[in-house]
Amino acid sequence: MSFLDYLLGRRRNTAEVAKERLQIILAHEHSSRNAPDYLPALQQEILAVVAKYIRIDLEDIRVNLEREGDYEVLELNIPLSEDSKGTTIRATTRR
Amino acid sequence: MITSGKGGVGKTTTSASFAVGLALRGHKTAVVDFDIGLRNLDLIMGCERRVVYDFVSVINEDARLNQALIRDKRVDHLYVLPASQTRDKDVLTLEGVDRVFRELQQDLGFEYIVCDSPAGIEKGARMALYFADEAIVVTNPEISSVRDSDRILGILSAKSRRAVESMDPVKSHLLVTRYNPERVELGEMLSVEHVKDFLGIPVIGVVPESESVLNASNVGTPVILDEKSQAGVAYSDMVDRFLGENRPLRFVTSERRGILRRLFGS
Ligand SMILES: Nc1ncnc2c1ncn2[C@@H]1O[C@H](COP(=O)(O)OP(=O)(O)OP(=O)(O)O)[C@@H](O)[C@H]1O
Ligand SMILES: [Mg+2]
């Protein structure tokens, strides 16, 4: 925001909001860019197994692929009940 | 190769003007429509009534390349290879495209082959980017366009021939189009610097939002030939920069910028 906007008490501009949203979107997409092709299938199958035992809502599940040094870490976070923080399955492979 | 990911951002407008600009500067140039089934480069170039054969008929060997190439009547050294209207998008093959490109370069002596990519990240777009040496990534200062350009850059660095064969990477340039400096200054539009920072590639031009683009497409004259329009001038500058000239960016600040804004402005 410029000094003029500040003086006039103008609200936060929309370009600023767009910038923040893009930052988050791109960071997320870059972390999964080099994901292996089988990742979606793997994800589906793990979820199918979990769903046999626990009632889960697909919407609540977070899947993350991250790089930690030499390792690739695949993380699935599954909320087991409404008030639990959930459980996390981590799979690590060396690159 | 002219690409964007997102549809309707100005790829075809850019392909036409860029090709005209290269030819005007004396380079033998072919502009090729990869948008199979939805061809409209011929309309923007104003040669739609002269289309007999097309890219697909050359790939299928139903016609020879020099039968399908349409020579531009206004500009020397400029030829158009139109797309077909076929509904089958899978007619393009890497082998076929490779053969046509080799013939264009080696037998017919073309210096530049400008490829107008279809939107999306599916087969047609991948076919257009596979052989690219340089990419002009057309982006509107808008959140979804920036995101799609980012995805295309990811594909270029992983799936292009240069990536697959471990050669030097495709050289990518950012072209921001439909830019409105007034709205940028009001904080209603992403600035070219922000778009550049997100995408991490150098800016080759900024084309302002301009009524002359629609007028140009109405009559089938690429806007670069309209020397009185800001968009036309911006495309000329962009071609010069591509060829290594130093041209400062124009039309990136509001003309109505008052003294107060100058003092306190963004
Ligand atoms: N600088 C500009 N100012 C105003 N209008 C523009 C500008 N650039 C492009 N347009 C308009 O935007 C529309 C889309 O342009 P164009 O066909 O070049 O996009 P495209 O990326 O090739 O689209 P598609 O993805 O469908 O192939 C057209 O109506 C064109 O006139
Ligand atoms: Mg197009």
Side-chain angles (χ1 to χ4, degrees):
Chain A
M1 250 189 351
S2 72
F3 186 52
L4 184 64
D5 291 338
Y6 179 77
L7 281 184
L8 297 177
R10 260 183 247 170
R11 67 184 165 75
R12 219 158 77 103
N13 64 41
T14 57
E16 202 65 35
V17 179
K19 234 173 73 188
E20 280 161 23
R21 292 176 64 208
L22 262 173
Q23 253 147 12
I24 296 165
I25 299 164
L26 296 191
H28 179 78
E29 290 186 348
H30 289 180
S31 71
S32 53
R33 181 179 280 179
N34 297 319
D37 293 341
Y38 58 75
L39 193 64
L42 173 69
Q43 200 173 309
Q44 280 294 312
E45 282 175 39
I46 294 175
L47 292 182
V49 173
V50 176
K52 269 178 29 188
Y53 300 94
I54 309 162
R55 280 184 49 189
I56 48 170
D57 188 345
L58 292 183
E59 292 271 298
D60 295 336
I61 294 170
R62 296 263 162 282
V63 185
N64 243 322
L65 186 78
E66 267 168 35
R67 193 153 287 164
E68 291 176 5
D70 272 355
Y71 294 92
E72 272 189 340
V73 182
L74 175 70
E75 253 187 27
L76 269 85
N77 188 280
I78 304 163
L80 295 176
S81 66
E82 300 231 323
D83 38 49
S84 88
K85 276 223 185 102
T87 188
T88 302
I89 303 173
R90 278 168 68 99
T92 310
T93 50
R94 197 177 189 120
R95 288 210 282 154
Chain B
M1 197 254 321
I2 316 293
T3 184
S4 71
K6 188 170 158 57
V9 297
K11 291 178 295 295
T12 302
T13 304
T14 299
S15 301
S17 282
F18 183 54
V20 168
L22 290 171
L24 281 175
R25 286 156 184 76
H27 300 286
K28 189 168 178 186
T29 303
V31 54
V32 181
D33 192 348
F34 269 80
D35 209 344
I36 307 299
L38 280 175
R39 77 168 193 222
N40 46 36
L41 179 69
D42 51 337
L43 292 173
I44 303 297
M45 293 295 299
C47 64
E48 70 278 4
R49 299 203 310 176
R50 296 167 64 207
V51 176
V52 183
Y53 297 108
D54 55 54
F55 197 12
V56 170
S57 45
V58 177
I59 299 256
N60 291 342
E61 302 191 54
D62 296 330
R64 278 179 296 113
L65 184 52
N66 53 18
Q67 290 178 302
L69 284 170
I70 302 171
R71 204 175 75 83
D72 193 271
K73 285 189 170 156
R74 300 157 295 216
V75 183
D76 284 343
H77 320 294
L78 179 60
Y79 295 79
V80 182
L81 185 56
S84 69
Q85 296 280 40
T86 166
R87 264 174 291 158
D88 180 10
K89 287 206 206 89
D90 292 333
V91 285
L92 293 185
T93 58
L94 285 182
E95 298 71 38
V97 175
D98 190 30
R99 182 173 56 78
V100 172
F101 281 4
R102 275 173 204 278
E103 202 178 328
L104 282 169
Q105 285 174 278
Q106 289 163 15
D107 303 342
L108 302 175
F110 279 94
E111 288 173 79
Y112 290 104
I113 305 172
V114 178
C115 303
D116 180 17
S117 171
I121 53 173
E122 301 306 316
K123 192 165 173 222
R126 285 170 190 245
M127 200 65 78
L129 71 74
Y130 187 76
F131 294 100
D133 295 315
E134 303 202 39
I136 290 169
V137 181
V138 182
T139 308
N140 292 167
E142 191 222 327
I143 196 161
S144 53
S145 177
V146 176
R147 176 208 217 160
D148 289 357
S149 293
D150 180 73
R151 294 187 72 184
I152 280 290
L153 285 168
I155 295 172
L156 272 167
S157 64
K159 302 281 163 75
S160 62
R161 184 176 61 115
R162 283 179 167 269
V164 173
E165 296 180 0
S166 306
M167 308 188 320
D168 288 341
V170 176
K171 197 169 167 197
S172 300
H173 312 269
L174 172 62
L175 181 72
V176 178
T177 62
R178 311 201 69 160
Y179 198 65
N180 185 329
E182 281 87 31
R183 300 200 70 183
V184 171
E185 280 165 20
L186 288 172
E188 296 176 349
M189 186 179 264
L190 290 168
S191 71
V192 59
E193 288 80 18
H194 287 142
V195 177
K196 183 186 119 192
D197 288 347
F198 278 122
L199 296 177
I201 55 174
V203 176
I204 195 157
V206 176
V207 181
E209 172 80 23
S210 161
E211 288 168 8
S212 55
V213 174
L214 180 57
N215 287 328
S217 101
N218 285 340
V219 296
T221 305
V223 71
I224 195 172
L225 291 168
D226 180 355
E227 285 155 12
K228 288 198 284 293
S229 86
Q230 292 194 342
V233 172
Y235 275 118
S236 267
D237 282 354
M238 171 241 175
V239 176
D240 288 337
R241 285 186 205 108
F242 182 83
L243 295 173
E245 305 283 327
N246 187 11
R247 295 275 180 276
L249 286 179
R250 288 193 253 189
F251 319 121
V252 285
T253 48
S254 157
E255 286 161 11
R256 291 196 287 273
R257 216 173 142 93
I259 183 73
L260 268 181
R261 274 200 164 269
R262 270 174 215 270
L263 287 176
F264 298 104
S266 25

